[in-house]
Every structure is written in structure tokens, then in C-alpha cells.
Amino acid sequence: MNQKILRQLEFDKLKDMLLTKAATSLGKDYVSRLFPSTDLEEVNRLQQETDEATQVLRLKGNVPLGGIHDIRPQIKRATIDGVLSATECLEIASTIYGGNQWKKFMSTLEDEELSLPLLDELTEHITSLPKLEQAIKGCIDDYGNVMDGASSKLRTIRSQIRSYESSIRDRLDGYTKSKSNMLSDAIVTIRNDRYVLPVKQEYRSSFGGMVHDQSSSGQTLFIEPQAVVELNNKLQESRVDEQREVDRILVELTQFIKEDASFLRTNVDTLQQVDFMFAKGKLAHDMKASKPKMNNQGIIHMRQARHPLIADGEVVPNDVELGADFTAIVITGPNTGGKTVTLKMVGICTLMAQAGLQVPALDGLELAVFDHIFADIGDEQSIEQSLSTFSSHMTNIVEILNQVTSQSLVLFDELGAGTDPQEGAGLAMSILDYVVERKARVIATTHYPELKAYGYNREEVTNASVEFDIETLQPTYRLLLGVPGRSNAFDISKRLGLKDEIINQAKGMVREDSRSVENMIASLEESRKRAETDYDVAEQRLKEAEELYQSLSQEYQHYLSNKDQYLEKAREKASKVVSKAEEQAEEILTEIRNMREEAGVKEHRFIDARKKLSDQKSELEPEQKKPEKKSKESREFHPGDEVHVLTFNQTGHIVQKVTNKEYEVQLGIMKMKVKQDQMEFIKRPKQVETKPLSTVKGSNYHVKPELDLRGERYEDALNRLDKYLDEALLANYHQVSIIHGKGTGALMKGVQAYARNHRSVKKHKFGTANEGGTGVTIFELK
């Protein structure tokens, strides 16, 4: 696979498109080195990378790769005891933060049904390095300046500098007020890092001190009055001390970076590969591309494949088959009909697949991994102009024939063109025979009519053509496999107005075998068009049937989902009718009861009548399922288990085991000891296979199921809440308690507003009376 082939098939333009999708300079560097692979196993891995990236992009839309820099030069300088600047140190901290953000993003995908083994493996290679990140950010601000708080000595020095600057300005301001007539401008300025005054030339002797500069006209002198010389000297000394302390801090930070150099280098290499994977994924998304199944048997199968460098509104999709039933395709047809575009489309799609890129075609495509792709592509010219062109083509073809193998894809454009037609056709057939005998895969375009019969006489070869619309006299750019191209000369001439007698005379001059071939091709085209029409009708009927099926399925599902609701409404309506009748009957029974002594009616008769009414009402009410009694399990509980405490009718979490039969349980904001037989097991938190991210490196910090924000300032409280919720999610808590107290209610409103806007909070509510009431908000997490 040489660079000449990549240029002919415009692989560099494809890389330029891919460059725009990379989010970092690291990713762009990786793209610039992209080259098709000839190893099937490697190609499958590269395709798997792209597929995982497209899965994540379909789900999330984008990925967090901001703030990542190419810090490899800084790492190298640090390892050879160079001193990094504040900006370089800040870029390293930013890259560490970018890696942490990526790890956090990947943790949000754990509950999604995605298979991401390669991305998971890469993420495992990223080390957090929180101490180094904090050390840098504790010394350098977001603008790349060393902060006063980087050391107590630096804070003292800068305080002195500000004091000296203030004293100098105060004294010089006195001059601007008392001697403003002697100054060119009543301002204090700086020359050679010293504070000076712009004094008119004629008043030079009135100030004394030192002259540091003068204006271009010579009329203004920039003088440092004697009264501030000493203060300026002290200011300069302090600035030297400041720079010395800044240098010391940077040396110290560089030493920290050197200690973690191997981790930083691994992080950068990993993030570079991640960015490259998602650049491929974004390109696939924009192209509406699909993942190809790769093989090493030379089989190509693409449906509705498009040239990736032609705009969607202009490109014509085509189906291509090669390598299974036949190993060579000979495409015939008119100029500007799309033969060369089809040839290049197959070539560049193969290069894309071997480089790990998805291909712009429908799902289910299959492509082969070739050891070489050869191409001879150029414009056909006349013999008078093209002796040198023919020689150039033949030189290229000779080189191809010397290297071709059974694992090669060969693309010939206008094979044999540029010489005598009979000799050119003979050469073309001989060259094709040579390549086919070596079992290479070959696609060739040609003008020669002799090659139309070539495809019929050889099992390994099939004809193809690019369609031409006789009605509009325009090519449709559609590839027709199995059908050779017609010359269409007579039809086109007739449409353009040439007399019938001339056309008929011309037809009589054409050989009988040529007319037979043309008639056969016309018959094939007519049969194909009828078949396509029938297929379109059948496809439309199938589409209508599928739409009808979907509509009926939706209606049926709607009925099933609402059946109980309809029955319940009917029961409610009937129950109301019976209740009304019952009330009226009760009134009547009351009146009759008052007269029962006169009528001699017994009390049990009234009771029977009332019971009949009640029975009618109960028949309309749905049967209530009796709650199944949970058998008490004598089981072992573990910290974090969710349990139901029977004595308090509350749900909580196991904190720790106290004795063999007693546990400490967290109920809202309260902890209490509960006996084992007074609890029912609900569920156990999902186990995280990787190292828990809720544990801070170098400590045994444990995330509690509640957070107490009482007494915190509003902004500090919400910042703590944001950090805590991330840790609680990583600890797999399904519910946490946020204690904010009642107070003025501002913090309570802030916490609940935060809950409403956070995508990981399923719902929130106030705690119950024994959980703290309105002083506590319970978050139910997704």
C-alpha cells in the first residue's frame, strides 16, 4: 500500500475530514499518522474501537475531552531536570483534570446496556494523580500566574512590593500636583522597570535624580527624582526576590511532575487514543456510515454504498458485489457516466475499512482486507495527443502485474485506452486474463465493445454498466451488475433529430454479431426495468402492510394497557348507581321500620334486604390481592444492605454488625441498634468490580449515606453537595439524606432546586418526622 495509491484514491482528503473531528492536538497528531492496515486481526480491533465510540455518541451525543493538552514535551523536559514554566505546569494540571473527567464520564455508562471492553480497558490505564493536580492548582491560577499563596515567603515579598509601589506613587503624585507646570503630562510612568516622571527639558535641574529616557523630540525627559531612588532600589530588590521565589516554586513543582512522569505519559497516550476513537465515531455519524464485517477471502458486498467525498445531495448510492461468485467486474458505458467514480468508491471504501473507519453504506456490508490495492486511473485521450500517456499507463500496469497476488485489489480505469482500438482491446483482455488467473480481485472500466463479450465467456468475470437515460440523454450514475453497457449511438442520434434513412443505413453497416449483442443487451435492460418496477410495487405493498401492522399493534397495546382502567371506571360508575339506590332504599326501609309494628314485619327481613344491596355493590368492586406475608429470614446482613425495620415500619441501611444477633442501622438521620429478627432484607447494592472511586487515594475516607450542610454558607453548601452526590453515585447508594435544617429556608430551597435540575436524582422529598421533617431532604438516586 504505497503513497501513490493513497493519493490517487484521495485518502488524504478523507484524513483532512477526520482531522476536523478530533477534539485535541493529540487526536489530530494520531489522525495524521493514520494508515490502512493489512492485518485482519488489527483491522477488526480498529473497527471495534470505532463501533464503541459510535455507541457512546448515539447515547450521549458528545464526550468530555476538553482541557487536554499534548504535554509530552513538558514531561520529557521535567525528566531531564529542566524547569517548566507556570503555563506548562498548568497545562499538565488541566490534562490530569481532563483524564479525571473522562473516568467520571465512563462511570456514568456503567448502568447502560453497552459493551465497551476497549474503552473500559483504556480508562483503567488513566491514573487520577489528585496530589499533583492540587499541588499545581494550589500554586498557579487559571491564567498561568504563580499565586501569592504558593508560599508564605512569596506572600510576604509581594506584600512588600505593593507597599513600596504605593509609597513611590504617593511621593510622585505629590510632584504631579505641586509641579504640574514643569511636567509634559501630570502622570506617573515607568521606564526600565522604575517609576519616573515626564519632565519638560527646561526644568531638568528642578528635580535632580536620574534620567532614564527621553521622548523622540527631546522635549521630554523621563526622570526618577532623588526622593524615590532608594524606594525604587528596594522595589527592584524585592522583585528579584519575588522572581527567585517563583523559580524555586516552579522547580519544586517540576520535581513533583518528574516523579509522576510515567503515569502522565500513560495518561496522555491513552487520552490520545480515546480522542482518535471518537474522531472516527463522529465521522461515521456524520456520514451515516456502518461497521463492515471484515474477511480475508477477497469478498466485497456493499448495498447503497456512497463515495465519502461527494456531497449527499449529489452522490448516487450503488450496490457492489465482488469475490464470491466472480472475481472481476468489467464496467462499460459512456463518458461522464460515473464509471471512474464507482471505481474510486470501491477503492476508498476498502481503504477506509482497513484503516478502522466505518463505510458509508447500509448495514450488513462486508469488505476484504487486501495486502495491496493497485490502481491505474487517468483520463482517456486521443492517439495523436497521447503516445506519452499510453506509455505512462503501460509502465504503471507493468509494475502492477509484477506485484499482483491473490490478496490484491486491482482497479483499471479505461484499460487499454490511448492506442489502436483493436490492439487496445486485445491488450485489455490479455491483461485481465493475467490478473484473473492469479485470483486477484479486479474492477476495470472500458470503452471497447469487444470486452462486453469477454465477461460472458469467463465464469470469473461479470459485466456491468452505468445506466443512461435515453429520454433525457443524461447518465443516471447507477451501476448495473450483470448488464453490459449499450452504445446508444443510434437512439441518441434519433432523439437529436438525425433522419431515419441515415440511421437505417448506418444500422445496415453494423455487423450482424454486433447487432445481436446490442439486441441482447436491450432485452436484458428491458427485463431488468420490469423486475425493478415489480420490486418497487412489492416493496410499497410490504411497507403499507408493515405500517398497518404497527398501527394495529399500537391500538392493541393501548387497549391492553388501559383495559384495567376502563373496567375500573365502569365499576366506579356502577358503584355510584348502586350507592344511590342503596340510599333511597335505606330511606324507604326507615319509613317501613317505623310502621313495622302495624305491618308485623320482623327486623331480620330488613337486614336481609340491606345485605342484598351490599352484595350487589361488592360484586362491582375488584378483588384485592391479599398481601403475601414475607417469611422472616434468619440471614446474615452486610454493611450497605437495604432492610425494612418491622418495629418502626421504616426502610434503612445496615451500617455495621454489633453482635451476632444485633446490627447498627441508619434510619434517615438517626442510627439505632436493631435485632436481626426485627429486620427484613430488601436488596444489596450492586458490587463494583473496579476499584471504588468513592475512596480517596491514600486514605480510608468512607461516603456516608447522609450529608450535613447546617451552618454552611449557601455557595459552599451547594459545592459540597455537588461533590458529595458524585461520590454517593459512585458508591452505588440508591438514597441519601441531605440535612440542611430549617432556618430561613434559603438553603432548603437551594438543595431542592439542585435536586430538580440534577439528572441523577430520580425524585426528592422531605424526611418523615423521625427522619428530621422539613429540615431534611431525601434524594432517591437513579
Side-chain angles (χ1 to χ4, degrees):
M1 209 84 67
N2 57 47
Q3 291 293 336
K4 179 182 177 183
I5 298 298
L6 299 182
R7 285 195 303 273
Q8 281 186 317
L9 296 177
E10 300 178 293
F11 188 69
D12 289 340
K13 292 183 179 179
L14 191 70
K15 285 171 61 175
D16 290 340
M17 293 174 64
L18 188 59
L19 275 171
T20 64
K21 308 302 178 185
T24 69
S25 60
L26 291 165
K28 294 181 189 298
D29 177 58
Y30 208 114
V31 170
S32 66
R33 294 183 277 113
L34 180 65
F35 197 82
S37 171
T38 57
D39 180 77
L40 178 60
E41 185 176 345
E42 183 182 7
V43 170
N44 282 329
R45 183 184 60 79
L46 293 171
Q47 286 291 346
Q48 179 62 27
E49 288 180 355
T50 310
D51 186 58
E52 290 188 16
T54 56
Q55 289 184 59
V56 175
L57 290 171
R58 275 196 298 268
L59 183 68
K60 296 293 186 179
N62 211 334
V63 291
L65 290 172
I68 297 170
H69 303 273
D70 185 359
I71 57 173
R72 288 172 296 190
Q74 292 94 307
I75 297 171
K76 185 175 181 180
R77 282 177 44 224
T79 55
I80 59 174
D81 295 328
V83 180
L84 303 183
S85 68
T87 301
E88 290 173 325
C89 291
L90 186 63
E91 287 180 352
I92 289 175
S94 178
T95 303
I96 295 172
Y97 176 78
N100 293 338
Q101 289 298 104
W102 171 253
K103 287 174 72 75
K104 186 180 294 186
F105 172 78
M106 282 298 294
S107 69
T108 65
L109 301 176
E110 290 178 358
D111 294 334
E112 306 293 343
E113 295 182 0
L114 297 178
S115 177
L116 308 172
L118 298 179
L119 280 173
D120 289 337
E121 182 182 354
L122 285 172
T123 305
E124 284 296 315
H125 293 160
I126 298 176
T127 307
S128 295
L129 303 175
K131 291 183 179 178
L132 177 58
E133 182 186 2
Q134 284 302 113
I136 295 173
K137 290 187 174 180
C139 296
I140 301 171
D141 62 21
D142 293 340
Y143 303 99
N145 301 314
V146 178
M147 298 185 292
D148 295 359
S151 73
S152 57
K153 183 176 181 180
L154 184 61
R155 183 185 293 108
T156 301
I157 293 171
R158 286 184 172 171
S159 177
Q160 290 175 346
I161 289 173
R162 286 189 288 272
S163 176
Y164 290 141
E165 287 177 337
S166 178
S167 298
I168 293 170
R169 282 187 172 278
D170 287 344
R171 294 196 181 185
L172 293 180
D173 284 344
Y175 283 101
T176 61
K177 294 175 182 178
S178 60
K179 299 184 178 182
S180 59
N181 61 318
M182 302 180 185
L183 303 177
S184 298
D185 202 350
I187 59 171
V188 176
T189 186
I190 296 175
R191 288 292 185 276
N192 300 326
D193 292 330
R194 299 177 77 89
Y195 286 94
V196 295
L197 293 172
V199 180
K200 295 176 181 178
Q201 173 68 36
E202 57 269 26
Y203 297 110
R204 162 71 181 85
S205 58
S206 301
F207 285 84
M210 294 181 290
V211 177
H212 287 277
D213 198 3
Q214 66 178 5
S215 65
S216 57
S217 64
Q219 298 301 310
T220 300
L221 302 177
F222 294 94
I223 298 175
E224 177 185 1
Q226 189 63 41
V228 298
V229 169
E230 184 62 27
L231 285 174
N232 261 329
N233 289 340
K234 290 181 179 179
L235 176 60
Q236 291 303 312
E237 290 174 4
S238 294
R239 284 176 174 166
V240 170
D241 292 341
E242 176 193 24
Q243 187 58 50
R244 190 180 293 116
E245 180 62 13
V246 167
D247 291 343
R248 186 196 66 78
I249 292 168
L250 293 176
V251 168
E252 188 176 277
L253 290 177
T254 303
Q255 185 61 34
F256 291 158
I257 292 168
K258 179 181 178 180
E259 293 171 1
D260 287 332
S262 61
F263 297 115
L264 289 168
R265 195 174 292 111
T266 301
N267 284 5
V268 171
D269 292 342
T270 302
L271 291 169
Q272 180 182 40
Q273 192 166 351
V274 168
D275 188 21
F276 173 64
M277 288 172 63
F278 280 92
K280 294 191 294 180
K282 292 173 186 175
L283 183 65
H285 178 270
D286 290 351
M287 286 186 175
K288 300 179 179 64
S290 303
K291 178 186 177 183
K293 178 183 177 183
M294 305 304 298
N295 66 80
N296 54 8
Q297 287 85 45
I299 297 174
I300 295 175
H301 168 74
M302 293 190 289
R303 292 181 59 243
Q304 300 296 289
R306 311 179 303 278
H307 196 295
L309 300 179
I310 301 178
D312 282 345
E314 302 172 10
V315 68
V316 176
N318 276 306
D319 298 346
V320 179
E321 296 277 353
L322 182 65
D325 299 326
F326 43 83
T327 60
I329 300 175
V330 178
I331 306 175
T332 54
N335 279 333
T336 69
K339 300 192 303 294
T340 303
V341 171
T342 301
L343 204 69
K344 287 186 173 183
M345 183 266 288
V346 175
I348 196 168
C349 285
T350 302
L351 290 174
M352 289 176 70
Q354 292 187 217
L357 301 174
Q358 294 191 355
V359 176
L362 296 184
D363 285 337
L365 74 157
E366 187 171 3
L367 286 166
V369 175
F370 296 102
D371 59 359
H372 283 94
I373 298 177
F374 299 108
D376 181 61
I377 299 174
D379 297 329
E380 181 185 9
Q381 297 177 10
S382 67
I383 296 174
E384 292 80 11
Q385 298 171 331
S386 300
L387 181 60
S388 61
T389 302
F390 176 75
S391 299
S392 175
H393 279 302
M394 288 311 301
T395 301
N396 192 27
I397 290 171
V398 169
E399 185 179 346
I400 291 172
L401 298 183
N402 288 335
Q403 300 180 58
V404 70
T405 69
S406 61
Q407 296 297 314
S408 300
L409 173 65
V410 185
L411 307 172
F412 289 126
D413 187 31
E414 300 299 347
L415 183 60
T419 186
D420 177 78
Q422 288 187 342
E423 292 180 357
L427 273 174
M429 288 188 282
S430 297
I431 291 168
L432 285 173
D433 279 341
Y434 184 87
V435 177
V436 170
E437 285 175 5
R438 276 148 187 77
K439 300 187 183 303
R441 304 301 183 260
V442 57
I443 303 177
T445 68
T446 181
H447 274 130
Y448 297 131
E450 290 84 352
L451 266 73
K452 297 175 184 178
Y454 175 84
Y456 286 105
N457 296 331
R458 291 163 176 79
E459 292 183 359
E460 301 91 348
V461 184
T462 189
N463 282 309
S465 60
V466 285
E467 189 178 49
F468 190 87
D469 191 336
I470 298 298
E471 299 299 322
T472 62
L473 303 181
Q474 294 291 327
T476 65
Y477 304 105
R478 291 183 59 205
L479 180 68
L480 308 176
L481 283 173
V483 180
R486 296 173 59 192
S487 65
N488 298 314
F490 295 144
D491 293 330
I492 293 173
S493 300
K494 186 174 182 178
R495 292 279 300 171
L496 292 175
L498 189 65
K499 294 181 179 180
D500 289 342
E501 58 189 80
I502 299 175
I503 293 173
N504 292 332
Q505 183 180 356
K507 286 181 178 179
M509 296 179 181
V510 176
R511 292 184 304 176
E512 182 63 30
D513 57 347
S514 296
R515 285 202 299 272
S516 298
V517 170
E518 289 297 319
N519 291 335
M520 178 189 68
I521 294 172
S523 176
L524 284 172
E525 285 193 2
E526 184 65 28
S527 299
R528 176 189 58 79
K529 288 180 178 178
R530 284 200 304 269
E532 285 185 350
T533 301
D534 293 341
Y535 177 80
D536 290 341
V537 171
E539 189 175 36
Q540 180 63 29
R541 295 288 184 270
L542 178 60
K543 184 178 179 181
E544 291 172 357
E546 287 178 346
E547 289 176 354
L548 180 59
Y549 172 76
Q550 292 294 333
S551 176
L552 291 174
S553 295
Q554 289 176 2
E555 290 295 331
Y556 181 63
Q557 291 298 326
H558 183 266
Y559 164 73
L560 289 180
S561 61
N562 292 282
K563 181 176 69 173
D564 292 340
Q565 185 178 349
Y566 296 149
L567 289 173
E568 182 62 29
K569 286 183 177 178
R571 289 191 185 99
E572 288 179 2
K573 187 174 181 180
S575 179
K576 289 178 180 178
V577 172
V578 173
S579 295
K580 186 175 181 181
E582 189 179 34
E583 290 175 2
Q584 294 174 349
E586 187 65 33
E587 291 176 2
I588 295 171
L589 289 173
T590 300
E591 292 179 6
I592 295 174
R593 186 183 292 111
N594 294 334
M595 299 182 292
R596 69 179 181 275
E597 291 181 359
E598 298 176 7
V601 180
K602 301 298 183 181
E603 180 66 26
H604 71 274
R605 300 287 297 278
F606 295 102
I607 295 172
D608 291 341
R610 187 183 293 108
K611 186 176 184 299
K612 289 179 181 179
L613 287 170
S614 298
D615 289 343
Q616 290 181 9
K617 186 175 182 180
S618 62
E619 286 177 4
L620 296 170
E621 294 177 353
E623 291 185 7
Q624 299 294 327
K625 290 184 178 180
K626 294 182 179 179
E628 297 180 0
K629 293 184 178 178
K630 294 184 180 178
S631 59
K632 293 184 180 179
E633 293 182 321
S634 179
R635 65 180 295 159
E636 185 79 6
F637 297 103
H638 299 283
D641 285 356
E642 185 177 355
V643 294
H644 180 69
V645 181
L646 301 176
T647 51
F648 296 98
N649 193 25
Q650 292 288 329
T651 299
H653 294 81
I654 300 295
V655 177
Q656 63 181 349
K657 188 173 184 178
V658 180
T659 65
N660 288 336
K661 299 295 181 180
E662 196 172 47
Y663 292 80
E664 185 177 64
V665 182
Q666 182 79 39
L667 294 174
I669 61 172
M670 298 186 296
K671 291 181 182 177
M672 57 182 62
K673 294 178 181 178
V674 182
K675 291 183 178 180
Q676 184 175 345
D677 59 358
Q678 293 300 317
M679 294 183 292
E680 288 179 347
F681 177 82
I682 297 178
K683 67 179 180 180
R684 181 162 295 156
K686 180 181 177 182
Q687 295 297 318
V688 181
E689 295 180 359
T690 56
K691 182 178 178 182
L693 297 179
S694 58
T695 303
V696 178
K697 183 178 178 182
S699 71
N700 295 321
Y701 179 76
H702 176 71
V703 181
K704 296 181 179 180
E706 80 275 353
L707 173 66
D708 192 348
L709 299 176
R710 290 176 295 183
E712 295 275 353
R713 294 177 60 243
Y714 184 89
E715 293 181 356
D716 293 340
L718 292 185
N719 287 336
R720 277 193 62 200
L721 175 58
D722 187 65
K723 180 180 178 183
Y724 168 79
L725 197 57
D726 286 344
E727 295 174 342
L729 287 168
L730 295 174
N732 262 329
Y733 285 155
H734 85 289
Q735 178 177 298
V736 294
S737 302
I738 310 301
I739 307 169
H740 45 66
K742 300 177 182 178
T744 62
L747 184 54
M748 175 189 70
K749 292 178 182 177
V751 169
Q752 299 211 338
Y754 177 90
R756 285 193 296 272
N757 295 326
H758 200 288
R759 65 181 181 184
S760 295
V761 178
K762 185 176 181 181
K763 62 181 180 179
H764 64 281
K765 62 181 180 180
F766 285 121
T768 59
N770 64 340
E771 290 176 332
T774 57
V776 175
T777 297
I778 309 297
F779 285 8
E780 185 176 338
L781 306 181
K782 296 180 180 178

